[in-house]
Structures are given as structure tokens and as C-alpha cells.
Amino acid sequence: MSADVFQRAAELREQLHYHIYRYNVLSDPVISDAEYDALYNELRELEAAHPELITPDSPTQRAGSDLSEDFPKVRHPAPILSLSNGYSLDDIRAWEERNLRLLASGTTLDYTLEPKLDGLTVVLTYEKGVLVQGATRGSGEIGDVVTPNIRTIRNIPLRIPAHRDGPPAPALLVVRGEVMYLKKDFERVNQRQIEQGLPVYVNARNTASGSLKQKDSRITASRPLTGFFYGIVESVGITLDKQWDILEYLRDMGFQIGPDSAYYPTLSDIIQQIPTWESHRNQLDFEIDGVVIKVNDLRVARELGIVGKDPRGAIAYKFPAQESTTRLLEAVVSVGRTGRIIPNARLEPVFIGGVTVSNATLHNYDIVQALDIRVGDVVTVRRMGDVIPNVAGPIINLRDGSEIPIKPPTHCPFCGTAIVRPEGAVDYFCPNVYCPERVYRQVEFFVSRAALDIEGMGGQTVKTLIDKGLIRDEADIFSLTAEQLLELDGFAEKKVNNLLASIDAAKSRPLARVITALGVDGVGSTVAVALANHFGSLEALANAAVEELQETTNVGAILAQGIYTWFRDPYHLGVLEKLKNAGLTMQAEAREKVSSALEGLTFVLTGTLPTLSRDQAAEMIQENGGKVTSTVSKKTSYVLMGDSPGSKAEKAAKLGVPIISEDDLKHLLGLA
Ligand code: IVH
């Protein structure tokens, strides 16, 4: 073993001790969980290769503790164990192989698959059906007693069974679960902070921890926490020897279990499910950082034993981290097609979840101020699914005093016009409709696939046309001539002819596309189809009163007012007039209503459909005379459900509304 390895292990131990202290004692971590995991795993691997490196105080030799001085203590009836982690499907396969080698030959294993909820562990004790104690995990052996705080969590039963149909209450039941914020509740908490001019919370898990460890339970009561349960630590009067039976038992008792927890007979079934969990994690109502795979037979799981603090009978498959920390180098301003001004961060490049991130949105200036994000800060950056990465917040403890606060600009950086903030708006705007950046963004959108789909007109071409003064707005595209285009760099005859042909083709796009292309704030393709169907012509739409607009499917009061105002703006009317003169579709054609097959039927969409996007499905329904609404009621004819549906599917089941698939919809339309 080289001195380097020895040195590195010592370094890792020291860093980990520091981060454990920041996380558990100060509740104020300075690195992301993923960065912590990387350090921890590096140390564990070094120790596995050189066991002589293991020191008694190595962080790998004990579970972290989050005990605080504020609460009475309790010894848990059994150690509150942790989980080992796997990061690849190979790790999961190797885990099963290792287990099978430890068991009698011929043993087969079945499993449960549960979400790995990113909350904090709680241990609840029910005596004769009454909640008598709630404790945190603490050191794993000893926990903080936070019973009054636990009692404020509305989905935790104070008495079990929580309803009459449940199994009888056992003499003693000690359950284990996670307490956390649902995403929407965390947003609400932050909304309230903003309204009160208080700092915004960055990390849901730490905030949940802080909320649970309040000395005054009235504060906890004002925080909308949720508890999910997955294990029995101890019981008297019941025997359950399968993990799946435990989950069903907990559910029947009235506990909320990890949504979509399921039983699978083999590991291959589990492995098939993992990509779906991973790709849908951002659509869930709650944060997960992976899934947990558990040997279903608890007798076998016990036989497998424990390594350190991790039972061999379960493993966490951790998803790639979606956040990391890096330095904010510069704040830059972008101006959208409606003039909205958005602050963006240029970052020191950082690798997150498989891609290098060097730009991220800073949301808006209210949030920048509430989070106190400054240029030069080390910031937490998150990447959630396909959405643009965002700066979640600064790590204030790493400041050296040289950081510079970020202020909204007073003038548009592209055209120099003084910027405005309309009453009640969260954003600032460049009010200049001729602002080259606004025009660029609007034209780029106008020609995009979602709108008029003009092929051969990429962002660079649009920029050149604006720079050369050939177009001042999107309508000018239709007056471009071959001579003008031939003068541009890289435009030979063939390219020019193709571009002119696609510009010409765009004139006969359906009315709904034209409405989308106008770029009215809040009018996407679904609303545009509804408006085209409702009004039948651009003229009728332009002249519609607010009340009439509001009668359209998916158009609420605020959007109706926005559309009304848009069509009263002289600049927009000028563009419309030019578009009309250019010969663009101004009337709905018969083909926009493909059939009346769905006349009188109302649909609600939920989940991810196998081939259609939600907008396409909505368009298809509306083209065939059906209506699409967003809430399930008794009046709903069908709920069209895809993968990972939300609560709408449950509501439909409750109300007896039939649930159909994309295939069923196509059958209804005679397409399949
Ligand atoms: S089982 C002996 N199941 O993840 C079994 N844990 O990284 C140990 N967690 O300490 C725990 N969701 O706090 C289990 N469905 C789930 C879980 C889960 C989240 C937490 C738990 C554990 C940590 C390990």
C-alpha cells in the first residue's frame, strides 16, 4: 500500500467528519448529498481494498447521528438500520448473486420494489392502537422523542386501524417510515416565505427535518408534512413474514405506504421496472432519490444478516444525482418574445446526471433576492428531467465577502429601453415591441415546429435576417424575395427555393397553428385548438369579449383577459393585418374537425401516454368533437390514462369514471 493511499484515506475521513457535522449538527450542509456519497464511497472502496486502513473512528464504521439536545431520548426496540447502495443494474444483479451464494442452493428469491423516499426516518409506537410515541432515527439506537410534532402530521393515524375495515389493533406496533414534504407543499411553504419577505428554503429534506425538530409543535403544525411507512420495527400480537404482507398490512391499518410499491416474483421483473421509475421520478408528487429492492421473505432476509449497519436483504438503487454545487461566474439577462426578462447564471461547468451544465436559470429577480444569490457564490444547481437546470440557492457559509448581489437591469440590454414591471407581475419586461431580441425570439417561435413549422429557417437564419434589416417582425417573412435571400452568406439557389417553398406552405397551416404561432402568453397548442374550434376564425377570436373567451375549454379568467388585451394592442393588430394580407389561414377549415365521434364526451388526461404527447391527444379529442378538461368529476366521460398517472386516476376510480388507454381512444376513433 502506498503512502498516497494512506494519505487519501485520512483526507477523506477528515472531510467526511466535517460534512457529517455540518449536515447533522448544524443542519447546514455545504455540499450536495451526491458529493457526500462520492466521498463516502471512495473511502469505502479504499477500505475494502486495504482493510488495514479502517480506523475505529472512520465514518464508514458508524451510522451518522442527528440527535439534538432539545428532546428527551428513547432507545429504539431494535436498531434502525440503513441500506447499502447500488448505482447500476450490474450492482443489483451482483447483490442477488452474492445473496444466493450465502443461501442453500436451489433457493429462489422474490422481492418488493418501493420508492426510496427522500425524507427523514421516524419510528412510531402504537399501544393497543393508540399512537403513544414518535421518535426520529437519531443515532439508529437512540432517537429524539418528538411525539407532539408527529401528532400534527395529518396523514399519520393517531389511532389504528384508522378506519373501521382495518385489521384489529395489535397490543404493540412500532412502525418505521419517512416524513417529508410533497413537492407542492414545499412550494407552498416557500411561497409563504416569499410573501412574508423571509428567505426561501433550498432543500426540502433539510427543511422537513427542521420542521419536525421544532421545540414548539405549533410551528410543526403550520408545516404541511406527510408521512410514508414501509416497515415494522417491533410488534406484539401479529406475525407477518413477508415484506409485501407488511406493506399491505400497514396500508390496511390506514398508513400511507410508498406510492406504487409493488411485489415482483423475480429480480428481472424488478430490473425491467427501474428505467420507468427513473424516467418518471420528476412527475411524482414527492422526491425520491432511488428505489429500494427488498427480499420479500423476511425469514430469508434475516438469515442473510447485516454488514455494518446495512442488512443484506435490501438494497437501494440510487438514481444519478440531479444536483451538485458549483460557482456562479456571471449573471446574464435574457429577454423572451413577450419581453419578459429572465436572469440566467453562467456557471463553472459541472457534471450533473450525465451532462455538463454551464448555464442555469435564476427564475426571476424576486427569487434571486429571496434566496440572496450573488455572483461568485458557490451555488446548488439542480437538473430535473428535461427542464432547464436551475440554481436552487447559494451556500452562504462559503462566502469570502467578494460576492456581488444580482440586481434587475434598469434598461433592456438589447435595445436600451427602460424596463417595466407591470402591477402584480413577478417579472420585469422590456416594453419595446421592436426590441431586436424580442423580435428574434418571437420569429424563432413563429417558425418553430410547434407553430408554423417553417423548415430551413433555423435560429441563425432568423438572426441574419433581422441583422440585415430584411425582417422587422414575423409577418415580414412572407415578403422575403429570392433576390434578398440569394445575397445572404451560404444561400445558393436550391436552399433559397426550398426556404421560399416552406414559407409558402406555412400560409395554409390550420388556424389552430396560426393562433399558436401568434405567441400570446399562455396560449399553447391545446388552447389554440380549443380557440380555433370555438371561434372558427381569427376575426371572431380577435373581436371576442372576455366572457366569451372564458367559455372556451381550458381558458380561465386570467388567460381570457390576457388574450383580450393581446388583441387590443395596436402593434399586434398591425402584425395580424400583415399576416392576413400575406394570405395566411384566417378561417378554421373543415378538416380541423375531423369527425363528431366524440361529440358530447368530456375527457381528462393523466400520466404519460405511450406514443402521443398530451397536447396531441387533446388535439385529437377536440378535432373529433370531444372536450378536454383538467379536473375529474361525475360529468367526466373518460379518463385517458398513461404511465405514472397522478391522483386523477384515483379520483376516477372513486367516482366510477371509466379509465381508458391511448389504444382505447384510437379504437373510439376507429384508428386502431
Ligand atoms: S428500508 C432495514 N425502505 O433510505 C431496512 N428505507 O439510505 C432499512 N428510505 O435509512 C430501510 N425509503 O431512511 C427503506 N422504502 C424504503 C425507504 C427507505 C427511504 C430511507 C431510510 C433509510 C435510507 C437508506
Side-chain angles (χ1 to χ4, degrees):
M1 186 187 56
S2 69
D4 282 359
V5 174
F6 185 82
Q7 176 66 27
R8 179 66 186 151
E11 247 169 51
L12 287 166
R13 277 199 304 271
E14 191 180 312
Q15 288 180 19
L16 286 163
H17 279 306
Y18 172 67
H19 293 306
I20 290 167
Y21 165 75
R22 293 223 62 113
Y23 189 95
N24 288 324
V25 181
L26 303 183
S27 279
D28 189 14
V30 290
I31 56 173
S32 63
D33 290 1
E35 287 165 298
Y36 176 85
D37 284 354
L39 294 173
Y40 185 91
N41 289 335
E42 187 185 342
L43 180 60
R44 223 179 34 178
E45 275 165 29
L46 282 183
E47 290 177 346
H50 311 280
E52 65 277 20
L53 282 177
I54 301 177
T55 59
D57 74 336
S58 168
T60 60
Q61 298 306 298
R62 62 163 195 150
S65 163
D66 64 357
L67 286 174
S68 94
E69 287 169 8
D70 296 337
F71 300 98
K73 304 287 171 267
V74 62
R75 177 171 288 277
H76 298 303
I80 299 306
L81 298 171
S82 187
L83 289 170
S84 60
N85 294 328
Y87 298 92
S88 68
L89 298 181
D90 278 344
D91 288 351
I92 304 299
R93 289 190 195 98
W95 167 69
E96 178 175 69
E97 279 160 25
R98 259 191 329 267
N99 285 342
L100 286 174
R101 276 200 298 274
L102 291 169
L103 296 166
S105 70
T107 310
T108 55
L109 294 171
D110 58 349
Y111 298 97
T112 64
L113 178 59
E114 305 167 25
K116 182 163 163 16
L117 303 152
D118 199 7
L120 53 141
T121 301
V122 292
V123 179
L124 311 186
T125 307
Y126 290 81
E127 283 172 7
K128 298 202 190 81
V130 178
L131 173 67
V132 295
Q133 183 177 278
T136 65
R137 175 180 172 285
S139 67
E141 315 278 332
I142 310 267
D144 283 323
V145 178
V146 289
T147 317
N149 296 352
I150 291 284
R151 287 207 179 101
T152 68
I153 301 175
R154 274 179 283 267
N155 83 328
I156 290 185
L158 298 179
R159 176 180 284 278
I160 51 169
H163 46 78
R164 248 186 271 157
D165 312 330
L172 175 72
L173 184 69
V174 182
V175 297
R176 169 176 182 177
E178 301 287 303
V179 164
M180 57 199 291
Y181 279 112
L182 299 184
K183 289 176 189 166
K184 65 169 170 35
D185 291 331
F186 188 57
E187 279 163 23
R188 242 175 57 206
V189 167
N190 270 338
Q191 198 50 48
R192 214 157 55 193
Q193 293 288 108
I194 291 180
E195 278 159 20
Q196 297 174 1
L198 296 169
V200 165
Y201 298 110
V202 177
N203 180 306
R205 193 177 178 283
N206 293 342
T207 313
S209 171
S211 303
L212 192 65
K213 290 189 201 159
Q214 290 291 330
K215 276 199 269 188
D216 181 349
S217 66
R218 282 171 304 184
I219 298 179
T220 312
S222 71
R223 305 286 177 81
L225 291 164
T226 300
F228 293 100
F229 294 85
Y230 50 77
I232 294 182
V233 181
E234 166 130 293
S235 66
V236 173
I238 46 164
T239 16
L240 294 164
D241 46 21
K242 298 284 187 317
Q243 172 62 13
W244 182 242
D245 293 345
I246 287 187
L247 292 174
E248 289 196 313
Y249 178 81
L250 291 175
R251 187 176 56 199
D252 293 347
M253 270 297 179
F255 292 98
Q256 186 150 356
I257 64 167
D260 298 315
S261 294
Y263 165 82
Y264 293 98
T266 71
L267 192 72
S268 337
D269 298 309
I270 300 262
I271 284 181
Q272 270 183 30
Q273 295 302 316
I274 288 181
T276 315
W277 272 101
E278 201 161 336
S279 59
H280 286 76
R281 69 184 287 196
N282 294 311
Q283 285 148 32
L284 299 173
D285 296 338
F286 47 91
E287 294 288 351
I288 63 173
D289 57 349
V291 287
V292 183
I293 307 161
K294 294 179 186 167
V295 168
N296 187 37
D297 190 323
L298 298 175
R299 209 178 36 80
V300 174
R302 255 194 310 278
E303 195 184 324
L304 283 167
I306 299 170
V307 201
K309 56 192 167 76
D310 308 334
R312 285 201 187 85
I315 190 168
Y317 172 79
K318 293 261 250 174
F319 297 149
Q322 295 196 110
E323 67 171 55
S324 192
T325 52
T326 189
R327 198 169 296 279
L328 195 164
L329 302 174
E330 190 190 356
V332 291
V333 174
S334 75
V335 175
R337 61 187 153 86
T338 59
R340 179 178 288 121
I341 292 194
I342 300 191
N344 296 292
R346 296 265 174 276
L347 305 166
E348 209 159 84
V350 57
F351 199 65
I352 311 177
V355 302
T356 303
V357 173
S358 39
N359 295 301
T361 173
L362 287 165
H363 317 272
N364 63 51
Y365 288 98
D366 279 1
I367 293 188
V368 168
Q369 200 183 2
L371 289 168
D372 188 20
I373 303 171
R374 304 181 185 181
V375 172
D377 268 336
V378 174
V379 291
T380 302
V381 181
R382 290 198 183 130
R383 212 187 126 239
M384 306 291 213
D386 297 328
V387 194
I388 315 163
N390 66 76
V391 173
I395 296 169
I396 290 175
N397 293 297
L398 294 183
R399 283 193 179 151
D400 64 10
S402 66
E403 297 75 16
I404 303 160
I406 299 169
K407 295 248 156 45
T410 53
H411 292 81
C412 173
F414 297 95
C415 69
T417 308
I419 70 162
V420 295
R421 183 171 182 168
E423 180 128 354
V426 281
D427 293 303
Y428 292 87
F429 287 83
C430 165
N432 173 17
V433 289
Y434 299 105
C435 168
E437 184 66 10
R438 282 187 62 172
V439 173
Y440 166 61
R441 297 281 170 202
Q442 168 58 17
V443 176
E444 195 187 29
F445 175 72
F446 188 80
V447 304
S448 70
R449 278 175 71 182
L452 289 192
D453 193 12
I454 301 183
E455 224 179 295
M457 191 122 181
Q460 200 43 55
T461 307
V462 172
K463 264 219 156 87
T464 314
L465 293 172
I466 295 172
D467 288 350
K468 300 256 178 216
L470 294 178
I471 58 175
R472 297 239 299 164
D473 60 39
E474 59 270 36
D476 288 339
I477 289 175
F478 296 101
S479 357
L480 287 169
T481 63
E483 294 73 51
Q484 288 173 327
L485 292 174
L486 279 168
E487 284 189 9
L488 305 178
D489 273 354
F491 274 75
E493 194 162 327
K494 185 153 176 234
K495 194 166 166 187
V496 167
N497 289 341
N498 286 346
L499 181 54
L500 287 173
S502 46
I503 290 174
D504 206 45
K507 292 181 187 165
S508 41
R509 299 269 185 262
L511 178 61
R513 292 283 198 131
V514 176
I515 296 174
T516 306
L518 297 178
V520 184
D521 221 4
V523 178
S525 47
T526 311
V527 173
V529 169
L531 290 170
N533 281 338
H534 192 96
F535 292 100
S537 76
L538 205 54
E539 196 178 348
L541 171 62
N543 293 322
V546 174
E547 298 70 36
E548 210 183 334
L549 287 161
Q550 229 175 302
E551 283 166 18
T552 316
T553 316
N554 287 327
V555 178
I558 294 172
L559 184 53
Q561 184 60 51
I563 299 171
Y564 180 85
T565 311
W566 195 96
F567 281 105
R568 301 292 165 297
D569 180 313
Y571 174 78
H572 294 146
L573 295 179
V575 173
L576 278 178
E577 189 61 25
K578 277 162 83 174
L579 290 176
K580 192 167 143 197
N581 294 338
L584 232 72
T585 306
M586 296 281 139
Q587 298 282 331
E589 290 172 38
R591 96 182 125 93
E592 269 164 68
K593 196 152 207 170
V594 177
S595 82
S596 310
L598 307 180
E599 200 70 61
L601 298 179
T602 305
F603 292 74
V604 172
L605 313 186
T606 182
T608 313
L609 299 171
T611 70
L612 297 174
S613 71
R614 292 263 276 266
D615 281 356
Q616 287 168 327
E619 193 167 344
M620 194 181 254
I621 291 167
Q622 287 160 350
E623 279 172 357
N624 289 282
K627 265 190 168 181
V628 177
T629 63
S630 50
T631 36
V632 181
S633 73
K634 281 197 202 128
K635 288 194 202 143
T636 310
S637 318
Y638 294 106
V639 168
L640 175 57
M641 184 177 86
D643 265 357
S644 301
S647 58
K648 291 172 187 170
E650 268 170 51
K651 191 151 177 218
K654 229 179 261 167
L655 293 174
V657 174
I659 296 178
I660 62 166
S661 67
E662 180 183 312
D663 273 352
D664 297 331
L665 172 68
K666 289 179 177 163
H667 273 294
L668 282 176
L669 295 171
L671 298 173

